[in-house]
Amino acid sequence: VILVHQPTEKGVETLANRIRERIANEPFVDGERSLNVTCSLGAAIAIPGRRERNVGERLVAAADQAMYAAKTNGRNRTVVTSLVSEEDRHLQQQVTAHRFSRWLVQKRLLDVPAVSRALLECWGRTIFSAHERLPPPFSSAPLLPLPGRAGLRHRAGHWHLVGQALAVAQVGMVLQDQDQSEDRFGVLAIRRQLLTPAQLVHLLTLQHECPKQLVAAIIRLGLIPPDVATKALEDYSAEQAALLGSSPALVH
């Protein structure tokens, strides 16, 4: 069983096919015999509900069914099953499209392997503590306390504060709404007209990938000169602000 961090359907399929092709191209030697081995892979992707506790079981069962479907349909192939709702899939696609890492590749400032190195450099550091450790000019706004809240709800609220999209009192109202609802933080914030859909997409993008943290990693790794990296962040922020119809403060 392989778990993939923040997957997309296309990314999971690409990874599974890479594994499958590597196995098919690798000779297995048994004494004097060389054996060609192939495999069929099944994959599943899901976005768990706020209070869902059995997403692991659902994923394993769906991936298992997908694997048997791959075998039934000819073997040596990959089948990917999505348990993501159409609404969540559309939102995920928008978030992926607005990521700073993708922007860097589209602008040909970095290639995919280089961006992947920078993202790996970022992993292992919690997003919030990394914000506090970044050197100027990459330090972010201070985190504000939300007494009595913890876990993912706490972190979601913090991101809206860091993005300067909501005030502490507004975050508190949405968290209270969540006590009576299965809906996610962003959905409830839009329902209260505290956020626009475009702002939600951008804030979710920041939650998954912090541009300032990524720039700091790029500079640490020496992938591009610091002045080029800083200018890239400024240009990306300006473009996002224009799309949002807001000041760059929300973007950073």
Side-chain angles (χ1 to χ4, degrees), residues 34-79:
S34 180
L35 305 175
N36 293 323
V37 178
T38 62
C39 67
S40 295
L41 285 85
I45 182 172
I47 298 177
R50 283 188 51 243
R51 295 184 176 135
E52 185 174 4
R53 295 292 180 268
N54 66 337
V55 65
E57 289 84 350
R58 285 205 304 134
L59 275 174
V60 171
D64 194 50
Q65 291 178 355
M67 180 190 66
Y68 281 109
K71 291 179 178 294
T72 301
N73 293 330
R75 301 190 175 188
N76 190 26
R77 62 184 60 207
T78 297
V79 172

Side-chain angles (χ1 to χ4, degrees), residues 126-144 158-159 161-164 206 209-214 216 233 248-252:
T126 61
I127 292 176
F128 301 116
S129 61
H131 267 289
E132 296 171 340
R133 288 198 301 266
L134 292 181
F138 307 108
S139 57
S140 69
L143 297 175
L144 302 179
H158 265 317
W159 268 111
L161 293 171
V162 171
Q164 301 179 30
L206 292 181
E209 179 183 289
C210 174
K212 293 177 182 178
Q213 185 181 353
L214 185 55
L233 179 59
L250 180 60
V251 177
H252 291 294

Side-chain angles (χ1 to χ4, degrees), residues 76-152:
N76 190 26
R77 62 184 60 207
T78 297
V79 172
V80 178
T81 298
S82 175
L83 305 179
V84 180
S85 69
E86 193 59 39
E87 181 181 8
D88 281 341
R89 180 183 290 110
H90 178 65
L91 182 59
Q92 185 183 51
Q93 289 171 345
Q94 288 183 299
V95 170
T96 300
H98 285 81
R99 283 187 172 187
F100 183 47
S101 57
R102 172 166 287 201
W103 185 91
L104 289 168
V105 173
Q106 290 174 337
K107 298 297 183 180
R108 299 185 178 180
L109 293 170
L110 291 173
D111 57 17
V112 172
V115 165
S116 298
R117 281 186 62 198
L119 289 171
L120 285 171
E121 170 72 10
C122 293
W123 292 350
R125 300 164 176 253
T126 61
I127 292 176
F128 301 116
S129 61
H131 267 289
E132 296 171 340
R133 288 198 301 266
L134 292 181
F138 307 108
S139 57
S140 69
L143 297 175
L144 302 179
L146 295 174
R149 304 292 180 177
L152 293 177

